[in-house]
Amino acid sequence: MRALILSALLAAVPLTATADVWSQLHGRWEGKGKVSGMQAAITLTFRPALGGRAHHLAFDNQMRAADGKTWPFAAEAIYSCATDGAGASGCRGHWYDNRGQVLPVTATVAGDHLRVEWGDASTERGRTEYRLLGNVKLLVSDEVLGKDGVWKAFGRSELQRMP
């Protein structure tokens, strides 16, 4: 099973400050998609962490194979963010999942989306993008870097903001 660090594309309205992107992501999201060829029921929660200097992601994915077997996948990540004087910032941290994987992560805001790069030369590598649509819908896409050096999509989900 591939590591699933949510990549999601963000905001229908372009956001210029990284803090705005993160604050719009904060909250609980639920939805469905397809991950590694299986139907997926996904719940994720973004929240501030470490006195507002970081962000926490809790992720749960219940994937169902064609034979009906369920494959649970859960992870948590912490993104510690630094901001320069011009308002630009990047975040880095770690992803921990129920497979026992610990992956380094970096997150950057580029225009209207948040891109998370995960892994390094000693682990699997991938990327996730998050895009908010109307502040109520979150599109998430995931890719993994194959051994052949080619990026391959393995997940696409659509989630709704929960009250």
Side-chain angles (χ1 to χ4, degrees), residues 3 9-10 25 33 35 40 42 44 51 55 61 68 81 84 91 99-100 104 108 112 115 129 131 135 139 141:
L9 310 166
L10 245 86
L25 279 173
V35 177
I42 297 169
L44 64 90
H55 305 278
N61 181 0
C81 302
D84 69 16
C91 303
R99 300 173 307 154
T108 55
D112 67 347
R115 172 173 274 178
E129 289 187 357
R131 180 179 304 272
N135 200 33
L139 303 178
S141 62

Side-chain angles (χ1 to χ4, degrees), residues 15-152:
L15 299 172
T16 57
T18 299
D20 290 341
V21 172
W22 284 105
S23 66
Q24 288 194 20
L25 279 173
H26 288 169
R28 183 178 170 91
W29 301 86
E30 293 181 5
K32 297 185 183 300
K34 197 162 197 175
V35 177
S36 298
M38 295 181 275
Q39 295 302 313
I42 297 169
T43 301
L44 64 90
T45 303
F46 284 99
R47 65 174 173 79
L50 304 174
R53 297 189 58 183
H55 305 278
H56 178 266
L57 167 65
F59 175 76
D60 181 73
N61 181 0
Q62 299 296 314
M63 295 173 285
R64 184 169 303 276
D67 65 4
K69 184 171 181 172
T70 299
W71 296 88
F73 184 77
E76 294 191 33
I78 295 283
Y79 302 91
S80 178
C81 302
T83 303
D84 69 16
S89 74
C91 303
R92 62 189 179 102
H94 288 88
W95 164 272
Y96 305 87
D97 67 39
N98 64 340
R99 300 173 307 154
Q101 293 291 308
V102 177
L103 302 171
V105 293
T106 58
T108 55
V109 174
D112 67 347
H113 65 275
L114 176 69
R115 172 173 274 178
V116 177
E117 306 265 343
W118 39 275
D120 60 23
S122 67
T123 67
E124 63 187 351
R125 289 187 50 212
R127 57 190 178 202
T128 299
E129 289 187 357
Y130 301 88
R131 180 179 304 272
L132 279 168
L133 300 176
N135 200 33
V136 295
K137 188 182 291 186
L138 179 62
L139 303 178
V140 180
S141 62
D142 294 290
E143 296 178 302
V144 67
L145 185 61
K147 293 181 184 192
D148 58 2
V150 175
W151 288 99
K152 296 175 178 107

